[in-house]
Amino acid sequence: AQARVVDRGGGVRALDESGERDGIDFLVDAYCGVGLFSIASHRDFEECAGIEISEQAVRAAKENAELNGAHNCRFEAGTASNIFDTVSDFDPSRTAVVIDPPRKGCDDNFLQQLLAWGPRRLVYVSCDPSTQARDARKLVSGDVDAT
């Protein structure tokens, strides 16, 4: 059985302390799975795009968005070699990216693309602090080996 997402009002917010938008209008949910972050955050963005390698997860994310009335969310299958091509219509300077990679963390190819695309904000969710720290060091230093 696929997981179902129910929006309980949490999520990634693109608002400043006064509750006004802070110039971030788009959300890219990389490694989106069944759409948790996009769906939970959709009210705070003009548009959300979830990117996932698994076609089965993309189908479930689309169903979850429909069930939750998240009509400004789209979900697409992306390949590791061109992950941000699926959001070429988003202005990176007006975009937040949330990543929730598997325990092994992000591969260097993804990190290189993320740095090159240059979103305004990055939120990194992790179940493994050691791989998150490794990836954060690479992102902060810009020292990523493209493969």
Side-chain angles (χ1 to χ4, degrees):
Q2 281 292 326
R4 297 292 181 246
V5 176
V6 177
D7 182 1
R8 301 270 190 242
V12 178
R13 299 193 46 104
L15 307 176
D16 65 18
E17 294 79 26
S18 69
E20 298 295 318
R21 283 195 177 196
D22 67 355
I24 297 177
D25 298 315
F26 306 106
L27 175 67
V28 173
D29 184 358
Y31 303 94
C32 76
V34 298
L36 174 66
F37 294 110
S38 294
I39 294 167
S41 305
H42 79 276
R43 289 183 186 92
D44 292 324
F45 298 93
E46 286 180 23
E47 189 172 357
C48 301
I51 305 167
E52 174 61 52
I53 292 174
S54 165
E55 292 280 351
Q56 182 178 5
V58 169
R59 285 190 300 275
K62 289 177 179 178
E63 182 179 335
N64 284 332
E66 185 66 30
L67 289 170
N68 284 279
H71 302 294
N72 63 333
C73 291
R74 68 180 199 233
F75 297 94
E76 300 179 37
T79 63
S81 63
N82 63 348
I83 195 93
F84 293 102
D85 286 356
T86 60
V87 290
S88 61
D89 56 323
F90 285 12
D91 176 349
S93 70
R94 297 173 45 213
T95 302
V97 174
V98 61
I99 57 176
D100 184 10
R103 186 170 298 281
K104 68 179 182 171
C106 301
D107 65 29
D108 284 349
N109 184 25
F110 173 81
L111 293 174
Q112 185 65 35
Q113 290 176 73
L114 180 62
L115 284 170
W117 199 64
R120 180 161 175 186
R121 182 168 298 146
L122 173 64
V123 178
Y124 191 130
V125 178
S126 179
C127 62
D128 187 336
S130 65
T131 57
Q132 183 182 35
R134 178 203 66 209
D135 293 348
R137 275 192 304 275
K138 291 177 180 182
L139 288 167
V140 170
S141 72
D143 186 21
V144 179
D145 295 326
T147 53

